[in-house]
Amino acid sequence: MQSRTPASRTGRPRSAAADAAILAATREALVELGWSKLTLSDVAVRAGVAKTTLYRRWAGKNELVVDAVAELFDELELPDLGSLAADIEGVVLQFAAILARPEARSGLMAVVAESTRDDALRERIRASIVDRQMRLVLQGRARAQQRGELPPEPDPGQAARTVDLIFDMVAGAVVHRTLVSGKPADEEWVHSFIRILLLGLAGAARTP
């Protein structure tokens, strides 16, 4: 099943309250019913809106679930705890806590599985989740450079590659730990992971 990109529409402005209710109802339905049994009709009933309201906003279940999961990840904030290590540890613990929530776990696993045969869905995941959360790496890197913990990278292309790599390492490790291995990303594990990550960044900075 291929995702369809919703066309721009005119008419009454979208209701933020309705959107929030629909996304919350989607996450609730995911936990109770699972991906295969979740339907837009059920979500509409739970949210107290007409089914046509959902279709005016989302082309189908895939897009709706991606946005419902993306809203959870928008809760992530990069704390300012005085050092790069502490800042990263703080946000990684937040990330692990979100992934431990049943609605995040079931939703993310479902859309990632569907995206293996749906290029449009993969692009939506990238735009709605990956690109939006890349801001955390950009903030952390800029703050660490201001503190003198990381060297500046004057080459924009190299800087972009570094940001991508940091994001992939952090997100990949935490997702694998919590969703694939099924082990806790607790404070001890996160502390060890951050130590190894920063050793790698320090080594990369010294490489000519």
Side-chain angles (χ1 to χ4, degrees):
M1 174 180 174
Q2 295 294 311
S3 301
R4 293 172 286 129
T5 301
S8 59
R9 298 178 174 89
T10 59
R12 290 187 299 174
R14 288 176 62 153
S15 163
D19 284 356
I22 291 167
L23 295 177
T26 301
R27 292 190 293 268
E28 178 185 278
L30 273 171
V31 175
E32 293 186 15
L33 304 175
W35 169 265
S36 62
K37 294 182 180 179
L38 184 148
T39 65
L40 267 64
S41 295
D42 181 76
V43 170
V45 170
R46 291 169 185 264
V49 301
K51 187 176 178 180
T52 53
T53 301
L54 269 73
Y55 278 113
R56 283 198 298 268
R57 290 159 164 79
W58 291 277
K61 182 167 74 171
N62 290 354
E63 294 85 352
L64 176 60
V65 173
V66 169
D67 286 0
V69 173
E71 188 176 57
L72 295 177
F73 295 128
D74 285 340
E75 298 174 9
L76 290 169
E77 296 291 343
L78 182 71
D80 188 349
L81 300 175
S83 72
L84 179 59
D87 292 355
I88 299 177
E89 190 167 331
V91 77
V92 168
L93 286 170
Q94 292 176 51
F95 183 38
I98 290 173
L99 290 177
R101 294 161 64 172
E103 62 270 31
R105 183 169 59 247
S106 58
L108 186 61
M109 293 287 274
V111 294
V112 168
E114 289 293 314
S115 72
T116 61
R117 52 182 178 271
D118 187 338
D119 291 339
L121 178 59
R122 185 181 299 112
E123 287 300 318
R124 191 179 184 97
I125 292 171
R126 181 178 295 116
S128 298
I129 298 177
V130 176
D131 291 349
R132 282 190 350 214
Q133 299 315 317
M134 198 74 76
R135 64 187 170 85
L136 300 168
V137 179
L138 292 168
Q139 291 171 9
R141 177 174 163 274
R143 187 185 294 165
Q145 288 174 337
Q146 291 171 357
R147 292 173 178 152
E149 296 174 292
L150 290 177
E153 290 184 86
D155 180 353
Q158 183 58 48
R161 288 189 290 273
T162 298
V163 169
D164 282 344
L165 185 58
I166 294 171
F167 184 91
D168 288 345
M169 287 190 294
V170 173
V174 179
V175 168
H176 186 277
R177 174 78 177 181
T178 57
L179 301 188
V180 179
S181 297
K183 298 177 181 178
D186 53 21
E187 290 188 15
E188 180 181 1
W189 181 86
V190 171
H191 184 75
S192 298
F193 167 65
I194 299 304
R195 179 176 57 82
I196 294 170
L197 175 67
L198 293 183
L199 285 173
L201 289 174
R206 290 193 296 268
T207 301

